[in-house]
Structure formats: structure tokens, C-alpha cells
Amino acid sequence: MPERDTDPARQLARCQEHNRRLRAVFDSSTDGIWLTAADGTVLDLNKASELHNRIRADEVIGQRVEQVVAQGIVDRSASLEVLAHKRQVSFVQEARRTGRHLFVTGVPVFDEAGELFLVVVHERDVTDLRFMQTSMEEDRQARLKAQEALTELNLLELGDHHIVAESKEMRQVLSTALKLARLGAGEILLLGESGTGKGLMAKFIHRHGARSEGPFIQINCAALPPALFEAELFGHERGAFSGAHEAKAGLLDLARGGTFFLDEVGDMPAETQAKLLKCLDEREYYPLGARTPRRMDCAIVAASNRDLEAQVAGRRFRKDLYYRLSAFTVRIPPLRERPEDLLQLAPQLLETLNRDFGARKRLSPYALSLLQAHPFPGNVRELMNLLKKAVVIAQDDLLDGFLAESLGVRAIPAEEGIDLPRELAALERDLLLRAATRCRSTREMAAHLGVSQPTVVRKLRQHGIRLSAARPGASLHTEQ
């Protein structure tokens, strides 16, 4: 073995030479490099990063990365996200002083004990590439727009009816409804939970059908007592019953040449179901007290939030009427299954409410994330009522605090100097707890939260949440 050099002067010279080489490699890189300590303190950055961000190293070395973001040097910190999640992250960052777009990758470095002690962030200038991608995307979008203008999915009039279709599921629903409307389907059945917008969908079908110039008449089958239902539906002649001093046209007659919408058809009285079926089969009906039939000349759109198949099995709804109405069925997904729609729907509803009440309420990205995480069992109607209450009652124009309180989520404080990793962890724990109370297994939780099942298991363990899902009625345990 070669003898070890113990001369202090020569050892110092070798260390200095080694450091000069490392510094040369560090500063000669065309990619920007940041080094951050485990407590979030900026340790060093190279010359490329100084150029990318138009800063001097001594401006930021020794500062916390939260301060770098607060000063507007960058819009988002990869170091913060690595410290929060203890894993590699990548995204496009904007250097505010230069307007450049940087593809950044934050890499955690762990010591022998498995503890994170350093974060290395690499920056690559992708501004020109991003401009090219933007230009190509704009060209692609223009082509798609031109193509859609020539297809039957050109749904430009949706805004008038407050139908939002950003999600794939809802666009498929609208595509099906539009085809049925233009084919002139005689009967269409709309199924969906209460508040999903079945009435708006019925109007959409009417508007895009061949009978759009005719009237749109609707009846809520759950709102009329059985004794009056038949008279309202078919009309009556003078003297048909006590108090019928004048003849009255029925709703089917008023809908002539247009569309008749039977809302909540599952609540139709049993005795009227048989007469409606005969009317649909023969395309004619008898007003009460009449001896000659009237010709039915309207499209029928029926809707229900009930499980009609279960009602048929329980003999609460006629099987033959169900099969007649369900030849063409459109199922409207609940709001919780189309979170993309909520991102457009909530601001649209809020804009209408602000106009109605003369308010200036606003939704931040955090508020939208709260709304997306809420299951909304009442669907769009519940969302509308929540936003209406917020517009009328909330003291602040920014609705974060009000919505967090209303939805039972701890609000993130707006003051400066917050501990972002801690707040993100607290929000993550809240979302996990809410999902755990609604789901019976980690697989269901993963589907509900839009992540993988191993991620859910790891997050539950990390936050001390234990879910017993081996049987119905899962129990929930938390460890503090």
C-alpha cells in the first residue's frame, strides 16, 4: 500500500485543488443548479442559475426557499415540494425576473440513516421549446375547432342552459342526447341522482330536436296528488266531474308540436301509468269526460332519480311502461364523478349569483380544490345552494374560509410565514379522513382520490390512519 501523505500543507493544497475542480464543474454546467439544506435554507447555486433567474448568488444564499418564492424570483419551488413529499419532483417553473420557462427537477439526497439532508434542483431553459409547443397546440386546437364546427357536437348554445361538459363522461352524455334529439326519438328516459340537471338536459334535447319551435311543457309527477294527475295530464270536458264548469286542455294538448317533460316519472300514480302507456302505444288519449280521442303530437322526455328497475321488481312501477320509456336511456353522472366540470361550473354559477346579488365574491384555486374534494350528494343543486349562501352570508370576497367551514375542512391561514409542508400535510390528512369515512377499502379510496392504491396505503400509514375494510361498515382509527 502506498504511504499516506500526512503533510498538512500538501493535504490542504490537494483539498483546495479538488474544490476548484468541483466548483469548475458546478459553474460550467449550462443547466442551473441549486443546493438546499434539509431545513429549506439555500446553500449554493451556479452561474447558469444566476443567468436564468437574473439574480446574484449572494441575494439568496442563506435565505429560506419560501422567501425566494415570496420575493417573486420564481413562481413555484421544487425544493419545497421535495421537502414536503421526500421524493423527486419535476415541473415547468417560471423565472419571474426574466420571463423564462425552466424545466426543473428536484432530487432528494439521503444520508446513511435514511434522513434527507440535501435537495439538488436542476434547471433547464425550455422557453423556446415551450413557445414551439404552444404554437403547435394552438394550431391543433384551431384544427379541432374547425372540425367540431362541422360535426353535431358543436354545442355552442350550452352556455344559455348552464350545461357544462368539460369531462369526457359528460361530453359523451351530450353527444348521445344530441343524436337522439336529431333522430326524433319519440320517448327518451333520463336517469340520474337528484340535482344532476335532468331538467336542463330535457330542455337541451328539446332545443336541438325537430320540435324546437314548439312548446316545452313539463310536469313534476311527485308534486300532484293522484286525484288531479289524470285531469292535468289529459285535460277534461265541461261537467266531467264536480266543479268542472269549463273544459280544460291537458298538458299533453298544450305540448302539441313540442316536447312534454315528465319529471320524476317514478312517482306517477299507479292508475295513471296504465293510461299513459296506452297513450304512448296508440298515440292518442281521452280527456276526462270525452267520447272522442285526441291525437298525441309531442315528443316525450321522462326523468327519474329513482332506480326504476328496482321499482319494477317491487311492483311499484309498471314493467311494460318502463320498457316503453327506456328504449333510449341517457344516464347523467353525478357531480362527484366529473370533477373537471366543477372547475368550470362553480365559477359560472358564482358569476351569475354575483350579478344577481350585486356581489364580488371570488373562488381561489384552494377553494376550487375544496369543492372538488366534496362529494356533493345533492349534485349541482347542492353546489348552487352552497354558493348562494356564500354570496349572501360570507363577510370576505374571497370564499376560502367560508367554504372550508361549510364543508368541514380546516382552512389554510392566509397570513405570511405559514409552514407550507405542515399545512399541505394537514390538508392531505383531512382529505384522507373524509375519503376513509366514505369508502370501505383502500381500493375504493384510491379510486375516490384519483391516486394508486399503494399511495393510499402509504399515506394512511404516514398520517397514522387505520382503515378496517374487511367487512361492511368499515371502522376508522386514527393514531395521534
Side-chain angles (χ1 to χ4, degrees):
M1 283 181 65
E3 287 188 14
R4 184 176 178 183
D5 191 346
T6 59
D7 182 68
R10 282 196 296 269
Q11 287 182 343
L12 177 61
R14 279 197 294 271
C15 285
Q16 290 173 338
E17 179 62 19
H18 185 64
N19 287 339
R20 280 196 297 272
R21 291 173 182 171
L22 291 178
R23 190 74 211 185
V25 172
F26 188 65
D27 283 333
S28 65
S29 172
T30 57
D31 287 351
I33 303 174
W34 291 63
L35 303 180
T36 304
D39 64 354
T41 302
V42 178
L43 300 176
D44 206 352
L45 65 154
N46 68 352
K47 294 185 181 300
S49 191
E50 289 180 311
L51 292 173
H52 290 332
N53 296 280
R54 197 182 295 161
I55 56 173
R56 299 189 316 276
D58 56 18
E59 284 184 73
V60 294
I61 290 177
Q63 290 192 30
R64 304 266 301 184
V65 282
E66 296 95 327
Q67 294 173 285
V68 176
V69 176
Q71 292 171 17
I73 295 174
V74 294
D75 64 331
R76 184 178 171 188
S77 169
S79 296
L80 280 178
E81 298 197 17
V82 171
L83 292 172
H85 302 294
K86 305 295 189 296
R87 59 176 174 80
Q88 180 174 313
V89 300
S90 297
F91 53 83
V92 176
Q93 178 189 78
E94 181 183 1
R96 293 284 177 79
R97 294 184 178 181
T98 62
R100 309 297 290 178
H101 291 96
L102 310 175
F103 182 77
V104 297
T105 298
V107 181
V109 181
F110 300 91
D111 60 20
E112 294 79 4
E115 297 293 326
L116 189 149
F117 77 98
L118 185 68
V119 177
V120 181
V121 176
H122 301 268
E123 299 172 333
R124 175 159 295 183
D125 191 342
V126 294
T127 306
D128 294 336
L129 176 61
R130 195 169 175 84
F131 283 152
M132 291 174 59
Q133 289 176 329
T134 300
S135 178
M136 292 173 64
E137 179 62 19
E138 288 174 350
D139 290 341
R140 190 182 73 86
Q141 291 294 339
R143 289 196 302 272
L144 286 176
K145 187 174 181 180
Q147 291 170 1
E148 287 185 359
L150 299 175
T151 69
E152 61 182 8
L153 274 179
N154 183 19
L155 308 178
L156 298 179
E157 296 174 333
L158 292 185
D160 297 336
H161 300 283
H162 305 290
I163 296 181
V164 173
E166 291 297 315
S167 65
K168 176 183 177 182
E169 295 81 3
M170 198 60 187
R171 290 193 67 82
Q172 183 60 47
V173 167
L174 288 178
S175 174
T176 301
L178 191 60
K179 288 178 181 177
L180 293 176
R182 293 188 173 173
L183 284 172
E187 293 91 32
I188 299 173
L189 177 62
L190 306 178
L191 297 177
E193 295 178 6
S194 179
T196 50
K198 296 184 291 294
L200 291 177
M201 186 63 69
K203 291 177 182 177
F204 172 80
I205 292 171
H206 169 70
R207 186 179 181 87
H208 291 277
R211 298 173 177 267
S212 59
E213 297 300 321
F216 179 86
I217 303 296
Q218 68 182 76
I219 183 174
N220 189 321
C221 300
L224 283 176
L228 296 178
F229 198 97
E230 189 175 341
E232 288 293 325
L233 188 63
F234 301 119
H236 60 80
E237 296 294 318
R238 180 180 178 181
F241 52 85
S242 177
H245 303 298
E246 300 290 338
K248 179 183 176 181
L251 295 177
L252 280 172
D253 197 41
L254 296 177
R256 188 174 298 276
T259 301
F260 184 44
F261 176 44
L262 286 159
D263 196 11
E264 305 304 346
V265 71
D267 294 301
M268 178 180 288
E271 57 268 27
T272 310
Q273 293 179 24
K275 294 186 178 181
L276 177 62
L277 176 63
K278 180 176 173 63
C279 174
L280 295 177
D281 285 340
E282 300 179 0
R283 307 303 294 178
E284 64 180 23
Y285 60 93
Y286 284 86
L288 294 182
R291 295 186 177 182
T292 56
R294 300 274 181 88
R295 189 70 183 164
M296 190 184 83
D297 182 23
C298 61
I300 298 291
V301 178
S304 180
N305 62 5
R306 297 181 179 273
D307 184 344
L308 291 184
E309 290 186 354
Q311 286 197 273
V312 168
R315 298 188 177 182
R316 294 184 298 276
F317 197 81
R318 290 184 64 101
K319 182 189 294 186
D320 43 11
L321 179 58
Y322 170 70
Y323 287 132
R324 180 59 195 258
L325 291 174
S326 63
F328 298 107
T329 301
V330 178
R331 297 181 184 274
I332 304 176
L335 191 56
R336 62 182 173 276
E337 293 180 8
R338 43 190 180 104
E340 305 96 322
D341 292 344
L342 190 143
L343 291 179
Q344 181 178 335
L345 181 61
Q348 180 176 302
L349 292 174
L350 183 61
E351 181 181 354
T352 301
L353 290 168
N354 276 334
R355 187 168 56 249
D356 292 344
F357 290 95
R360 300 177 63 182
K361 306 299 184 183
R362 294 179 289 115
L363 292 170
S364 71
Y366 171 67
L368 287 172
S369 70
L370 291 180
L371 294 176
Q372 276 194 303
H374 185 64
F376 283 105
N379 293 292
V380 180
R381 186 179 293 117
E382 181 185 353
L383 173 64
M384 181 69 171
N385 290 340
L386 176 64
L387 292 176
K388 183 183 291 186
K389 184 167 66 172
V391 169
V392 174
I393 297 176
Q395 298 295 320
D396 300 325
D397 283 348
L398 193 64
L399 298 178
D400 293 29
F402 182 88
L403 291 177
E405 181 179 356
S406 299
L407 298 175
V409 178
R410 189 171 64 87
I412 294 180
E415 63 268 23
E416 293 186 9
I418 64 173
D419 187 334
L420 182 59
R422 185 182 66 191
E423 297 296 345
L424 287 174
L427 177 59
E428 183 177 74
R429 191 172 192 276
D430 283 338
L431 295 176
L432 285 167
L433 284 171
R434 293 172 60 195
T437 59
R438 294 184 178 91
C439 302
R440 299 174 55 194
S441 67
T442 53
R443 257 178 225 289
E444 287 186 15
M445 288 181 66
H448 179 72
L449 295 170
V451 296
S452 67
Q453 194 252 1
T455 297
V456 169
V457 173
R458 178 169 54 83
K459 294 290 184 183
L460 289 173
R461 188 182 302 116
Q462 178 182 332
H463 291 283
I465 302 171
R466 292 187 292 116
L467 178 68
S468 298
R471 54 181 174 75
S475 58
L476 175 68
H477 308 278
T478 60
E479 301 169 353
Q480 300 299 333

